[in-house]
Amino acid sequence: MSDEALVTRDERGNISVLTMVYRPYNLLGPKFLSAIVQQVEAAHKAGSRAIVIRSGLRHFSAGADLDIFETQVASDSAEESGANLRRTNVEFLRFMELLPIPLIASIHGVCLGGGLELALSCDYIIAASSAKIGSVEATLGLHPLLGGIQRQVQRIGAQRAKEMSMLARRYDAPTLEKWGLINLTVPEESLEAATMAIAEEFAQGPTIAHAATKELTYIAVNEGVAAADEAMARVQAPIWASEDLRTGLVSYRKNGPGLAKFAGR
């Protein structure tokens, strides 16, 4: 099966919709992550100003491909294999979290293990209220390997993060919205329309400023607030030269706040 068959891309104006169709359950592994990266890169190069990641199957993702773990356990050089997996995972997370356009995860059905970690690498998570979500790796004798623990700690605190990863329960989406792990839950029948409305709101925003927001957030989370303060002038420099800022200032003086039509440049 070619990488192109694992994830499809549909351009809807300034928005790219990436639909995961890796049967049967969108199980994550190097080949599938590579296909996601390729389509995200293609969407960025095509000029998209927001990217939606969703599933075209019954579930968003049932987790990781267990063949990867079994191969690693059987490996004569398990330590080296683990280091390679860690490097690959960190590279993927850095790519997603520093991509200069917003990423929206749209979840339905089951979203477990690596599937949840994929969603957590995005900037905004919207889920159907019927979705079942969890870090279930402990049932295999593992814990989240794609940065899930630390990203749960960022969002919901250490106690809830340990609960999720150590008890391996499946949670309903409204509970995780209340905790702050995901941004929004909507009825399943409204998921597509609500997802596209959110994506459109991101896509119509000042894209260069959004990129700076993502980068400063990344620095603050990984290096601390002081490091983000030091990086502000560098990260914000492109904003001052942007067409969007000039458009926003003119619109504000003429029409008041909130009516600027940004070009994303």
Side-chain angles (χ1 to χ4, degrees), residues 135-175:
S135 295
V136 297
E137 290 89 343
T139 62
L140 299 172
L142 281 167
H143 75 181
L145 299 172
L146 189 57
I149 296 170
Q150 48 269 44
R151 281 155 184 80
Q152 289 167 5
V153 170
Q154 289 167 11
R155 290 164 172 79
I156 61 178
Q159 292 302 103
R160 288 296 192 189
K162 286 187 287 186
E163 174 187 331
M164 287 192 70
S165 292
M166 296 169 77
L167 295 183
R169 294 171 178 165
R170 301 184 185 197
Y171 297 87
D172 61 83
T175 294

Side-chain angles (χ1 to χ4, degrees), residues 96-107:
M96 296 287 275
E97 291 173 350
L98 288 175
L99 188 80
I101 52 178
L103 290 160
I104 301 100
S106 181
I107 295 172

